[in-house]
Structures are given as C-alpha cells and as structure tokens.
Amino acid sequence: MPIYEYDCPSCGDFTVLRPMAERDAACACPYCDTPSERVILSAPGLTSMAGSQRRAHETNERSAHAPQNLEEYKANRKHPAGCSCCGPSKPVERTKANPHGLKASPSARPWMISH
C-alpha cells in the first residue's frame, strides 16, 4: 500500500498508509479527527529501487536542473584530492606478511597454478 499525504486545516500535513482505492477520499486527521483532503507535497519515494539505480536517478535529476561546474564538483566531493580509494591503486608489492604480492607475480613454486 502506498503512503499518501493529507492536509488538516488545523493541525497541518500528515501521511497515511492507505489502499489505492481510497486515495482520493478524505481522511480523518489522526490528531483531531477532522476530515482532510489529499495533497501532493513531496516527490514519490523511490525506496523500492536498488540503491545504485536510485543514486543514478538522483544524479540525473540534479544535473538536469542545476549542473555543477568544476569548482562546485571539487568542493562537494566526499574525499580529498589524491585519496587512495578513488584514485589509481598502488601496485601490489611483496611484503613479509604477503610474500607473493597477492599472487601478482609468480611464486617460488612454478608448477602450481595460481588463480
């Protein structure tokens, strides 16, 4: 069932979970029982979408109405310039804890197949 928004003349707006068949009927205010008409105050919720798809829709919506210039984009980034998680990664090197460099180079046993 979808969530609809209603506007009470004395208490203000409120939301109610109702069947679609009852969406246009007046709803009693949960605080004062006054019959209230349905209003559309916000955009529909996109909670049933996958997170990546929802973020793509949000990005497209923002860019359609208020595209960012380069300075605004740099100011709104979550990570500082040159962070290791967003930039190119370092090559994996051999260490004492990881002697094979995560199998980036052949091991001391050439007859073994590494995956």
Side-chain angles (χ1 to χ4, degrees):
M1 284 192 293
I3 298 174
Y4 295 105
E5 298 172 325
Y6 293 88
D7 187 30
C8 176
S10 57
C11 301
D13 59 311
F14 61 94
T15 58
V16 178
L17 184 70
R18 297 183 81 178
M20 290 178 74
E22 299 175 13
R23 70 179 180 268
D24 294 327
C27 181
C29 174
Y31 307 108
C32 65
D33 277 347
T34 305
S36 304
E37 295 298 318
R38 180 175 169 226
V39 294
I40 299 174
L41 299 173
S42 61
L46 302 174
T47 57
S48 60
M49 283 187 184
S52 59
Q53 191 174 11
R54 187 173 55 249
R55 282 189 296 276
H57 278 279
E58 291 169 0
T59 302
N60 287 342
E61 191 68 25
R62 272 195 316 268
S63 65
H65 298 296
Q68 294 179 343
N69 61 25
L70 185 59
E71 289 79 26
E72 291 171 341
Y73 174 75
K74 286 180 180 179
N76 293 331
R77 283 198 323 206
K78 294 179 182 175
H79 302 276
C83 71
S84 61
C85 67
C86 298
S89 61
K90 293 181 184 178
V92 180
E93 298 175 1
R94 294 176 182 232
T95 62
K96 191 171 186 177
N98 185 12
H100 302 296
L102 294 175
K103 299 286 185 180
S105 60
S107 67
R109 300 177 185 160
W111 61 89
M112 294 183 69
I113 299 172
S114 64
H115 299 275

